[in-house]
């Protein structure tokens, strides 16, 4: 067993709180950089693609290295430092790549540490993943409008990097690295497809009212992820998924109105920590790779919107059907993870 630098529930709680605060600021700073510094560039479309590829798709190969390195706090702190340094890079494409790689390193380091500390429970994981949506929304709004001084982003990142390095900079207690067994690859593929659908839904939901309800939708997205971890711990992964996605499908039928639509977004996103938890359970010796595999699904779900493909979410019935389809895929993917 590898040594850990933090032990006990109180230490796990402190680390989760620190990583969660950093998650908000990391995603806020990345959105602020993209929309406050790069949106006026002629190559902004390319920068967006490069950033998303590095931040999400690149987590899969980097996760394999993170599992072996066993220095999760160091990776998270390095990621914060790289995003801060990206503000000083003079070339737009290189700026986007630097920020994207930094984002990937932070999410891997923080995600593996939280997964290690959570064990068989998902509440801490839900708390960790939830602030990112709020950070992205706020950073995007400020970047597009009257942004605060841009130096606030990198300054906060450097403070957080120092705090993470101090609290979580030692050996992390990762399990001995291992690749997935062949019989688990099918389950992992199902979980990946669940994330692709969730990402696609988030990018393309056809709500005519969503511009006026942006704050409510952002809160629903973030709070749904946090609530999903607690619901899983109380009900179990299969029951929590069935209740949340079943109710989301019913509410999507009324999503032409803002209240049921916002409630559907809350419930639909409750399964995010469940999918991450399940992938880590299927790959106990490769949690970083598991985390990166599912963030690759986020990138795949982003591509149709980036490429301006026709939106397949033509109405409430389609959203409801996809919620039920996600439920079927997730329940199949959870079978072996619960063992």
């Amino acid at each position: 067993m590898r040594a850990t630098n933090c032990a006990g529930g109180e230490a796990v709680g402190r680390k989760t709180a620190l990583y969660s605060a950093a998650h908000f600021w990391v995603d806020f700073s990345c959105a602020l950089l993209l929309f406050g510094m790069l949106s006026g560039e002629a190559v902004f479309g390319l920068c967006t693609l490069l950033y998303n590829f590095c931040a999400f798709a690149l987590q899969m190969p980097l996760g394999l290295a993170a599992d072996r390195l066993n220095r999760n706090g160091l990776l998270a702190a390095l990621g914060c430092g790289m995003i801060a340094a990206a503000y000083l890079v003079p070339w737009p494409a290189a700026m986007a790549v630097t920020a994207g790689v930094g984002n990937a390193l932070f999410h891997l380091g923080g995600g593996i540490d939280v997964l290690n500390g959570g064990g068989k429970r998902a509440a801490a994981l839900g708390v960790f993943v939830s602030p990112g949506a709020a950070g992205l929304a706020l950073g995007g709004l400020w970047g597009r409008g009257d942004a605060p001084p841009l130096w606030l982003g990198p300054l906060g990142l450097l403070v957080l990097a120092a705090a993470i390095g101090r609290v979580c900079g030692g050996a992390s207690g990762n399990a001995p690295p291992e690749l997935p067994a062949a019989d688990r690859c099918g389950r992992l593929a199902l979980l990946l497809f669940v994330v692709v659908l969730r990402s696609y839904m988030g990018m393309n939901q056809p709500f005519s009212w969503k511009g006026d309800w942006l704050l409510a939708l952002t809160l629903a997205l973030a709070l749904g992820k946090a609530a999903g971890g607690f619901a899983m711990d109380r009900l179990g992964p299969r029951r929590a998924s069935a209740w949340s996605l079943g109710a989301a499908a019913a509410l999507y039928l009324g999503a032409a109105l803002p209240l049921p639509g916002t409630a559907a977004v809350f419930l639909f996103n409750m399964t995010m920590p469940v999918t991450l938890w399940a992938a880590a359970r299927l790959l106990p010796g490769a949690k970083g790779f598991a985390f990166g595999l599912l963030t690759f699904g986020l990138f795949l779900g982003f591509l149709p919107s980036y490429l301006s493909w026709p939106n397949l979410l033509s109405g409430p019935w389609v959203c409801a059907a996809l919620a039920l389809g996600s439920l079927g895929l997730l329940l199949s993917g959870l079978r072996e993870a619960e063992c």
Side-chain angles (χ1 to χ4, degrees):
M1 177 67 70
R2 300 186 185 187
T4 60
N5 63 314
C6 296
E10 184 178 346
V12 170
R14 286 199 303 270
K15 289 174 68 173
T16 301
L18 176 58
Y19 280 130
S20 300
H23 190 186
F24 172 87
W25 201 258
V26 161
D27 283 6
F28 165 81
S29 300
C30 287
L32 188 62
L33 181 147
L34 283 172
F35 295 103
M37 299 183 70
L38 294 177
S39 61
E41 300 287 341
V43 292
F44 178 63
L46 174 63
C47 290
T48 302
L49 179 64
L50 289 172
Y51 169 80
N52 280 281
F53 176 82
C54 293
F56 300 115
L58 206 58
Q59 282 192 49
M60 189 164 47
L62 289 175
L64 288 172
D67 291 321
R68 293 184 176 275
L69 182 62
N70 194 37
R71 291 292 188 276
N72 303 328
L74 177 63
L75 280 181
L78 177 61
C80 291
M82 284 191 67
I83 299 168
Y87 278 75
L88 302 177
V89 175
W91 305 285
M95 181 184 290
V97 168
T98 305
V101 174
N103 187 292
L105 291 176
F106 167 77
H107 280 81
L108 284 170
I112 301 171
D113 252 358
V114 172
L115 282 166
N116 285 344
K120 294 183 178 181
R121 303 178 68 83
L125 183 60
V127 170
F128 168 67
V129 298
S130 63
L136 282 173
L138 183 60
L141 283 173
W142 282 6
R144 292 182 181 95
D146 296 326
L150 291 176
W151 55 261
L152 283 178
L155 176 62
L157 289 167
L158 293 176
V159 171
L160 287 164
I164 292 170
R166 180 176 181 181
V167 174
C168 312
S172 302
N174 293 355
E178 63 176 355
L179 291 176
D183 60 344
R184 298 192 170 190
C185 291
R187 305 291 183 202
L188 289 167
L190 292 173
L191 297 175
L192 172 64
F193 197 42
V194 169
V195 176
V196 174
L197 286 178
R198 187 189 305 128
S199 176
Y200 183 82
M201 290 271 283
M203 296 292 296
N204 296 282
Q205 287 180 354
F207 302 151
S208 61
W209 45 264
K210 62 184 178 182
D212 296 328
W213 282 65
L214 181 60
L215 176 59
L217 282 173
T218 301
L219 289 174
L221 189 69
L223 295 176
K225 294 174 183 179
F230 289 98
M232 196 206 85
D233 290 347
R234 184 171 182 83
L235 301 174
R238 294 173 67 83
R239 287 180 64 195
S241 299
W243 278 103
S244 61
L245 288 176
L251 286 166
Y252 270 129
L253 295 176
L257 300 174
L259 284 177
T262 302
V265 169
F266 173 89
L267 291 162
F268 188 71
N269 282 278
M270 285 179 66
T271 57
M272 182 174 183
V274 179
T275 51
L276 288 170
W277 172 88
R281 291 276 290 176
L282 290 169
L283 295 173
K287 292 186 176 76
F289 177 77
F291 203 98
L293 176 68
L294 297 194
T295 60
F296 179 61
L298 295 176
F299 178 72
L300 293 178
F302 149 82
L303 281 178
S305 177
Y306 175 80
L307 296 172
S308 300
W309 290 0
N311 185 0
L312 300 178
L313 304 181
S314 56
W317 282 98
V318 179
C319 294
L322 287 182
L324 292 177
S326 295
L327 176 58
L329 293 168
L330 183 54
L331 291 178
S332 298
L334 284 171
R335 287 175 187 168
E336 197 167 339
E338 291 181 296
C339 298

